[in-house]
């Protein structure tokens, strides 16, 4: 029964979104790809490394909370499982918000060409780009 509940929770967490946002994927295996595709400068690479580490710390805390939640509800009633699924979804949403926040940080330090490439790639994948206020970066 536990795998069924876990599958249900994962579907519940990801199915509620319409057109998905175009995430860069900071903090994962994609950091090297981000660096290469967008030809990041040394200072941008340093920021990417720092923000990747920050994301890992933030999400590790949420993952530990999720594991504890699942462990605590091993023999729960259906009502308790439903309540737990909402808490679990909130944890997944928090992880997604962390990812979006740090992707947005990186996008704000992109130059115009890098940001336009990001928009173009998102459009090709039919994903919704994360828009940032470019006027703050223009000098």
């Amino acid at each position: 029964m536990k795998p069924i509940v876990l599958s249900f929770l994962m579907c519940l967490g990801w199915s509620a979104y319409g057109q998905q946002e175009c995430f860069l994927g900071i903090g994962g295996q994609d950091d090297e790809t981000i660096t290469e595709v967008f030809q990041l400068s040394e200072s941008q690479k340093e920021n990417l490394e720092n923000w990747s580490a920050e994301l890992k710390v933030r999400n590790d805390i949420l993952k530990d909370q999720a594991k504890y939640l699942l462990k605590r509800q091993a023999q729960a009633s259906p009502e308790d499982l439903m309540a737990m699924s909402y808490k679990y979804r909130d944890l997944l949403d928090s992880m997604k918000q962390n990812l979006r926040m740090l992707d947005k940080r990186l996008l704000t330090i992109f130059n115009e060409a890098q940001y336009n490439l990001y928009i173009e790639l998102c459009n090709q994948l039919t994903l919704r780009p994360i828009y940032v206020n470019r006027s703050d970066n223009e000098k």
Side-chain angles (χ1 to χ4, degrees), residues 23-36:
F23 289 108
L24 290 169
I26 289 179
Q29 303 158 335
D30 298 329
D31 285 357
E32 278 187 35
T33 304
I34 292 169
T35 300
E36 290 175 23

Side-chain angles (χ1 to χ4, degrees), residues 46-109:
E46 186 177 329
N47 284 332
L48 177 61
E49 275 183 34
N50 292 336
W51 294 334
S52 293
E54 179 183 343
L55 182 66
K56 182 177 179 354
V57 169
R58 286 174 175 268
N59 283 350
D60 281 351
I61 292 168
L62 294 170
K63 286 176 189 175
D64 288 344
Q65 290 175 2
K67 285 179 190 174
Y68 175 74
L69 185 63
L70 290 173
K71 183 178 178 183
R72 195 178 68 178
Q73 300 291 336
Q75 300 298 323
S77 68
E79 294 81 18
D80 290 341
L81 287 174
M82 198 59 169
M84 188 257 311
S85 73
Y86 292 122
K87 290 177 185 174
Y88 193 80
R89 183 181 62 194
D90 289 345
L91 291 170
L92 291 175
D93 287 345
S94 294
M95 288 181 199
K96 182 181 176 193
Q97 288 172 350
N98 286 340
L99 180 61
R100 186 181 194 286
M101 175 186 66
L102 293 168
D103 276 1
K104 193 169 184 174
R105 276 188 201 170
L106 182 60
L107 290 170
T108 61
I109 65 169

Side-chain angles (χ1 to χ4, degrees), residues 13-46:
W14 294 110
S15 66
Y17 303 108
Q19 182 184 10
Q20 301 244 342
E21 282 190 310
C22 188
F23 289 108
L24 290 169
I26 289 179
Q29 303 158 335
D30 298 329
D31 285 357
E32 278 187 35
T33 304
I34 292 169
T35 300
E36 290 175 23
V37 169
F38 295 102
Q39 299 176 355
L40 300 183
S41 68
E42 288 304 314
S43 65
Q44 289 173 324
K45 288 179 195 176
E46 186 177 329

